[in-house]
Amino acid sequence: MLALAASSSLAQDPCATIAGQTWVGASDVRACYNSLSFETTIRNNIVEVVNKTMAFHTSTNYQVQAPAPFEDVHEDIIGTLARINSQTYDSDFDLHVDIATSTRRMGDGHSVYVSMCYDNTYTSFVPVPLVLLQNNDGTQDIYVDPQAYKVFSQDFFSGQVEIWQQALGNDIPLETLSGAKVIAIDNEDPWKAVDAAAAAAGGYQSFTTRQNSFFASFAISASAWSYLPGLFAQMSLPLKDSVTLTIQRANSSASDIITLPFRSRLHENVIAFTDKASFWNNNCLATSTTNGSPNAQQDATPAIARFSAQASRNSTTRLIVNEMLDVNSALAVPMPASLRPPRSNYQAAWDTFGWILDDKKTGLFSSGNFRTNNEISLMVGLMNLVRGLSSRNATRLVIDVSNNQGGLVCASALLHYYFMGNKTTTSPQALLPTKFRAQPLAQKIVDNVITSQAVDTWYYPTQWKNAENEPFSATTNYLREGAEDRVINGRPDVFSQTIGQECQPFYYFDMPQAPVWKGEIVIVSNGRCASSCALFVNTMAKLENVKVVSIGGKFDTPQQYAGTVGGQSLDFSAIDSDIKAAGLKDDPLAPPDFITNSYQGITWRLAQGVFDEDEPEEWQSREAAENYQLTAAVVNDPWKLWNDMAAKFFED
């Protein structure tokens, strides 16, 4: 029923038109997607899986109306799913856009819905990434990134520069757009486009962080430096054919109006296809890793690895991960060699780098994530890096956590302890206590895994500790005992008792009693520090009074230094494995299997607040102490940026 028959000739098949090509027009991709017909069976299945998975998501009712300063987050996802389930659509792609956009409005990068059929199958680009810069007179404007041509003339965009240049004509070389002031986007004030993208982007609670996501930045990912073109210049779905800009080029008093097409690049992980039917059958139907396994652990790498290292959830070693999915930046654009920092003596496979800056006294530690399948190696590497910087006589430290998507929870705990030593804020708990959502099906799962001794499940009690950091017994239903009934946004809910730390003591290490780092620390962030990164920075800022400086953002607008906090992230397939292991797949509360190649993430445990311990840290302000405004001299040139910040934000 779900297989698509080839009912037209190849000439009439828009998917056949783009088959076998690395680069195509965004409109051609959308034509292929829109040719996939809407089926009520698929709609009903996706809605039921997502709806029932949301019972395990800790913030479902908080996101109905988030408190200040996140009040623009107001998505009733259960009500929205009911609305979607009663609608018909012109195509399966239109259904996907509605579901995906709705989950993104929850403002939580842990809880997005992703389709391997559509999301980042083709990633669409336009060669004018934008940046927000401070002018010499102290005012602020939006510009095409001065680094734009360096980025978009790389081999990564082979053959596309000529197409974009052809769209510009002979009078305006593509290279001259770099550094141009942007006067209008699609004939409107550019901030209208910024705010529209921020409203739909998802990922982070703070509107200002989502605004900043519109602009280009840099990151460390996949053991390499990457350039992130931002929400304006890089799209995970082919929703626009072109963009029209009114610009004023550098050293010119005149304005130009230009129109550039979006060009879409095929992701290397997409299974080859020749037409609509093979595209659907090869990429859009459920695979062996889409749904859970009653054995909990799976050997195959799930398709979601296209977006994130959350593939580690199926590692043979169970790792506690708190990591968001940044769907919009999933396809990594290489950082031009001329913009990469000098090679570090501390380069490591876990994407963590350390330098001594030009003043010879400031160490720099930059981490794009805390990912690995080998937790011990990651922790050893982090400790060696900090010790190494200290041994090179650095007396000050800048920690840049911009665009850090999180990763291993215990790496964050170790870093906090390692920097601050053994004290009441780091021992026995270097992070924050958490709570599970304790809905009826979750309570049943704990009952059944206790009875069946299904120790290889996330819900089995002996791997968790109570508020006194004592392990639960093998017969304790920790979701039922001490459960707390709450009313959130007028809706009844139930949460578990407080769950203690899960990382300490650090059995494999002889941890120091005193702080390893003796000097001053400044943390810098563009707000896109999420999950395990946010747990680390929040505890350092709020418990240890470490200064946190935000990078960029609109003038006179408070900037949040960390995004989605969470506590532990999981997804439908992990929950489905526990449901199956508990023998509850036939329970009316249990979600069915996906019939499409889909993914639904959740925040499974929610960290409690530092200052208000009765409410989640997720929904409490994380305002930066100071703000650093980007200029044309330093934007997206990390070495210049770090050296300039080091000169401005230390006490001396």
Side-chain angles (χ1 to χ4, degrees), residues 116-191:
M116 302 307 137
C117 184
Y118 302 117
D119 288 301
N120 276 109
T121 295
Y122 287 88
T123 303
S124 300
F125 297 94
V126 70
V128 281
L130 304 184
V131 289
L132 179 63
L133 301 179
Q134 179 175 285
N135 301 311
N136 291 334
D137 62 2
T139 59
Q140 192 179 49
D141 284 299
I142 295 174
Y143 291 85
V144 176
D145 188 352
Q147 317 294 354
Y149 190 76
K150 290 182 183 178
V151 174
F152 280 81
S153 60
Q154 296 182 99
D155 289 344
F156 182 88
F157 295 99
S158 178
Q160 304 314 298
V161 169
E162 293 78 9
I163 293 175
W164 284 314
Q165 184 61 68
Q166 185 177 9
L168 288 173
N170 296 327
D171 295 334
I172 303 179
L174 184 64
E175 187 173 4
T176 66
L177 302 183
S178 298
K181 180 180 177 180
V182 177
I183 300 168
I185 299 176
D186 290 329
N187 301 313
E188 295 184 309
D189 186 300
W191 278 102

Side-chain angles (χ1 to χ4, degrees), residues 4 72 152 154-155 166 173 179 184 201 232-233 256 325 340 352 433 488 513 516 524 535 573 622 627 630 635:
L4 294 181
D72 77 295
F152 280 81
Q154 296 182 99
D155 289 344
Q166 185 177 9
F232 173 75
D256 300 298
L325 280 179
R340 296 174 206 154
T352 305
I488 303 168
Q513 294 297 301
V516 171
V524 300
L535 289 173
S573 67
R622 302 173 286 277
N627 179 254
L630 294 166
V635 66

Side-chain angles (χ1 to χ4, degrees), residues 18-38:
I18 63 175
Q21 300 183 58
T22 301
W23 285 96
V24 294
S27 59
D28 294 325
V29 177
R30 193 170 62 255
C32 170
Y33 289 174
N34 281 330
S35 72
L36 303 175
S37 60
F38 166 74

Side-chain angles (χ1 to χ4, degrees), residues 553-591:
K554 203 172 185 181
F555 273 162
D556 302 322
T557 303
Q559 300 291 319
Q560 299 284 312
Y561 57 72
T564 302
V565 179
Q568 182 179 353
S569 56
L570 284 181
D571 59 27
F572 160 73
S573 67
I575 293 295
D576 191 42
S577 292
D578 275 24
I579 291 171
K580 289 172 177 174
L584 291 168
K585 191 64 176 177
D586 293 331
D587 190 285
L589 296 176

